[in-house]
């Protein structure tokens, strides 16, 4: 079968080093980390608890968050999920082909949104862990 | 350069049929009509991704109820264990499984590890996802 070369030789490696390539690599790495952390989060929160609907009671949530290992895992999970979400949103918005000025605003806006998300998430985790 | 790629002259024109097989256009990715399997998988990945971002903030909002103490949380638990909410949980698991497993496929294909097996990967991971979804649904509804 005849094939047509659509990109120059070696361009794949070059693309991974440039802006869009770096973003793809970051999304992929955070996605892989997320698979592990989300798996732990889901199983620990909903699949090992003996209660209706797999949801923890108020006391169970506080005891769960108090554990140092769980506190670390949940904190890491929040960080990775936020980074992955912001990178995903950025990819979708950049596909709309915005101007360079709009791209800068998108980057700033998503960074602010990500930081606010992390700040509130850590406030929530910290408050619950301290109540136990 | 334009003449070297089949259909390159038509890429700027609108319409899913003209774009079929040429690649994902800059806009209109959410319209899966007339696309090959890869295009459908791409659209579905973005739709589930947007849904999961929405859920992330919904989840943070729901967990905020814990700040108001035990009675508020218990009230929510009663609501969240209704059939409607548990069905939405299954929908959430569907989104997570699709986005996660398709993400594995995209990473494997995009990194060049299994660049020529993307259809096989889509179907095999789809089978794994379907089995996992059935298991999760049985667990969720079984606990009611």
């Amino acid at each position: 079968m005849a094939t047509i070369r659509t990109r120059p030789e070696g361009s794949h490696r070059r693309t991974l080093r440039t802006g869009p390539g770096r973003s793809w690599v970051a999304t992929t790495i955070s996605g892989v980390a997320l698979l592990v952390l989300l798996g732990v989060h889901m199983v620990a929160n909903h699949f090992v608890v003996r209660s209706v609907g797999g949801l923890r009671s108020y006391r169970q949530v506080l005891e769960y968050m108090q554990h140092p290992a769980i506190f670390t895992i949940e904190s890491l999970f929040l960080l990775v999920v936020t980074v992955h979400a912001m990178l995903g949103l950025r990819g979708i918005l950049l596909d709309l082909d915005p101007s360079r000025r709009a791209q800068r605003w998108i980057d700033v806006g998503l960074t602010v949104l990500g930081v606010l998300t992390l700040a509130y998430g850590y406030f929530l985790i910290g408050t619950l862990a301290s109540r136990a | 350069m334009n003449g070297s790629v089949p259909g390159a002259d038509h890429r700027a024109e609108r319409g899913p049929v003209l774009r079929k097989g040429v690649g994902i256009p800059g806009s209109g990715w959410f319209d899966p009509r007339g696309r090959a399997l890869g295009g459908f998988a791409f659209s579905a990945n973005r739709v589930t991704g947007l849904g999961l971002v929405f859920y992330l903030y919904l989840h943070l909002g729901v967990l905020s109820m814990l700040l108001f103490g035990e009675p508020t949380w218990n009230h929510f638990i009663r609501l969240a264990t209704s059939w409607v909410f548990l069905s939405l949980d299954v929908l959430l698991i569907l989104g997570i499984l699709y986005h996660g497993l398709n993400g594995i496929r995209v990473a494997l294909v995009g990194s060049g590890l299994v660049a020529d097996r993307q259809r096989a990967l889509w179907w095999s991971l789809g089978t794994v996802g379907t089995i996992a979804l059935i298991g999760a649904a049985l667990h969720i509804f079984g606990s009611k």
Side-chain angles (χ1 to χ4, degrees), chain A residues 4 6 12 24 28 35 38 41-42 46-47 51-58 61 81 84-86 89 91-92 95-96 113 117 120-121 123-124 127-128 131, chain B residues 1 4-6 26-27 29 42 46 50 53 56-57 59-60 63-64 66-67 69-70 73 77 80-81 86 93 96 99-100 104 106-107 110-111 136 139 143:
Chain A
I4 298 170
T6 56
H12 182 64
W24 187 85
T28 304
L35 285 172
L38 182 65
H41 175 86
M42 293 291 285
H46 305 294
F47 286 82
S51 60
V52 177
L55 290 166
R56 287 174 179 266
S57 67
Y58 183 76
V61 172
V81 77
H84 191 77
M86 295 306 119
L89 284 178
I92 291 173
D95 264 3
L96 298 172
L113 180 63
T117 306
Y120 183 70
F123 161 74
L124 202 56
T127 306
L128 296 175
R131 279 190 187 177
Chain B
M1 182 65 194
S4 62
V5 180
S27 61
W29 56 264
F42 180 83
R46 289 205 151 172
L50 287 171
V53 171
L56 170 67
Y57 289 100
H59 197 50
L60 283 174
L63 292 180
S64 300
L66 285 160
L67 298 175
E70 196 162 1
W73 183 250
I77 290 287
T81 48
L86 293 181
I93 301 283
I96 290 171
H99 196 79
I104 292 174
V106 170
S111 62
H139 174 81
S143 63

Side-chain angles (χ1 to χ4, degrees), chain B residues 46-108:
Chain B
R46 289 205 151 172
V47 170
T48 52
L50 287 171
L52 292 173
V53 171
F54 172 74
Y55 179 75
L56 170 67
Y57 289 100
L58 184 70
H59 197 50
L60 283 174
V62 163
L63 292 180
S64 300
M65 289 183 196
L66 285 160
L67 298 175
F68 298 102
E70 196 162 1
T72 311
W73 183 250
N74 288 344
H75 178 73
F76 165 72
I77 290 287
R78 275 196 295 278
L79 186 70
T81 48
S82 65
W83 286 105
V84 177
F85 265 76
L86 293 181
S87 302
L88 290 174
D89 280 346
V90 176
L91 187 66
L92 170 70
I93 301 283
L94 170 67
I96 290 171
L97 283 170
Y98 181 83
H99 196 79
L101 293 172
N102 190 59
I104 292 174
R105 186 187 68 90
V106 170
L108 289 173

Side-chain angles (χ1 to χ4, degrees), chain A residues 7-18 20-22 24-25, chain B residues 106-113 115:
Chain A
R7 60 169 73 155
E9 199 69 40
S11 66
H12 182 64
R13 282 180 183 279
R14 249 197 325 273
T15 306
L16 291 180
R17 286 198 294 263
T18 56
R22 273 202 302 268
W24 187 85
V25 170
Chain B
V106 170
L108 289 173
V109 172
S111 62
L113 287 173

Side-chain angles (χ1 to χ4, degrees), chain B residues 10-26:
Chain B
H10 301 292
R11 290 190 99 169
E13 296 173 19
R14 296 188 71 81
V17 175
L18 280 176
R19 294 178 188 280
K20 183 179 179 183
V22 177
I24 302 299

